[in-house]
């Protein structure tokens, strides 16, 4: 309701950017919208849907049709301390969740740990609400109209005031990209969507460096 259906387009772009898999970790998976999209776009893939909110995961599990159940596993987990082995995933996705994780460096470290060398991170998140978009119409919507609509739809006005506040406080796309580079990611890119209301950041875990060749004898 709040995005006028554009969230489906944004998630589709995220899923396309994640690559072919076959093993995905979907963090802050919530009610499993991204996890379901990953499973349907990559039918042979396995998706671990992870979130700290068990109630949201349980709601999401109700939406999974029998055909998708073997490929999606919901796991209660904190993105800062993932119950996963090193280098186990080809891709990690997180949609509208990194904004809520503090401190973010712990999440970046864990994502790097569980990604395979050359693996991809895809982050879908709101741009900063401090930039004027559409002549300030979006900013007015974000601060004043969105919380009221959210209160009517969900009967939880505090949650949607929180949403607007965290969007406004979030780093812009350049600062977030710099943060990801500082954390150790490589090939960081960002793509604006819907005039910069949302950005898709992608990054890679750098492949492991090849060991130097062993030289023997007296040659040069």
């Amino acid at each position: 309701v709040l995005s006028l259906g554009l969230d489906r387009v944004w998630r589709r772009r995220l899923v396309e950017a994640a690559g072919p898999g076959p093993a995905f970790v979907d963090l802050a998976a919530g009610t499993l919208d991204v996890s379901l999209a990953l499973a349907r776009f990559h039918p042979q893939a396995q998706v671990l849907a992870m979130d700290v909110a068990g109630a949201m995961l349980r709601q999401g599990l109700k939406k999974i049709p029998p055909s998708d159940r073997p490929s999606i596993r919901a796991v209660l987990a904190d993105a800062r301390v993932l119950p996963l082995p090193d280098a186990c995933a080809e891709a990690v996705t997180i949609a509208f969740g990194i904004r809520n994780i503090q401190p973010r460096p712990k999440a970046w470290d864990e994502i790097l740990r569980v990604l395979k060398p050359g693996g991809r991170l895809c982050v879908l998140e709101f741009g900063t609400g401090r930039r004027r978009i559409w002549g300030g119409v979006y900013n007015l919507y974000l601060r004043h109209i969105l919380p009221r609509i959210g209160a009517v739809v969900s009967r939880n006005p505090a949650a949607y005031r929180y949403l607007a506040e965290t969007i406004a406080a979030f780093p812009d796309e350049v600062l977030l990209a710099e943060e990801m580079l500082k954390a150790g990611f490589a090939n960081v890119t960002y793509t604006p969507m819907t005039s910069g209301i949302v950005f898709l950041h992608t990054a890679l875990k750098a492949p492991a460096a090849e060991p130097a060749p062993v030289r023997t004898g007296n040659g040069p």
Side-chain angles (χ1 to χ4, degrees):
V1 171
L2 294 172
S3 73
L4 304 178
L6 286 171
D7 59 298
R8 297 176 182 176
V9 177
W10 300 334
R11 286 197 300 270
R12 177 77 177 192
R13 293 281 298 276
L14 171 72
V15 168
E16 290 173 349
F24 295 100
V25 175
D26 182 29
L27 297 178
T31 55
L32 307 186
D33 288 325
V34 171
S35 298
L36 274 164
L38 285 166
R40 289 168 179 171
F41 196 74
H42 304 289
Q44 306 305 316
Q46 294 294 310
V47 182
L48 275 177
M50 309 186 105
D51 202 299
V52 294
M56 293 186 77
L57 292 175
R58 287 191 291 273
Q59 282 294 115
L61 288 171
K62 296 176 184 177
K63 299 189 296 189
I64 301 178
S67 58
D68 291 320
R69 285 172 190 163
S71 59
I72 300 175
R73 181 180 178 188
V75 179
L76 191 66
D78 187 331
R80 298 166 299 183
V81 191
L82 294 172
L84 295 171
D86 296 351
C88 64
E90 276 81 14
V92 172
T93 59
I94 181 166
F96 306 113
I98 196 67
R99 178 173 36 86
N100 299 316
I101 299 173
Q102 295 291 339
R104 278 193 300 276
K106 288 191 175 182
W108 298 138
D109 288 346
E110 279 293 85
I111 292 168
L112 277 170
R113 183 183 65 80
V114 303
L115 277 174
K116 295 181 179 179
R120 180 177 292 266
L121 167 64
C122 297
V123 179
L124 187 64
E125 190 54 86
F126 291 106
T128 178
R130 295 187 297 273
R131 179 185 294 122
R132 284 174 61 84
I133 296 176
W134 300 339
V137 172
Y138 167 70
N139 309 77
L140 176 67
Y141 173 77
L142 177 65
R143 293 169 189 164
H144 301 290
I145 300 173
L146 181 147
R148 294 179 183 179
I149 298 175
V152 171
V153 173
S154 72
R155 299 180 183 178
N156 187 354
Y160 290 89
R161 287 196 298 270
Y162 166 83
L163 174 64
E165 290 167 0
T166 57
I167 292 172
F170 195 65
D172 67 24
E173 68 279 5
V174 176
L175 290 176
L176 188 64
E178 291 175 353
E179 185 178 297
M180 294 167 72
L181 285 167
K182 184 178 179 181
F185 292 97
N187 295 72
V188 177
T189 68
Y190 53 84
T191 304
M193 292 184 282
T194 317
S195 302
I197 290 175
V198 168
F199 279 85
L200 174 61
H201 282 71
T202 64
L204 298 179
K205 178 178 179 177
E210 294 184 5
V214 177
R215 298 185 180 275
T216 59
N218 297 319

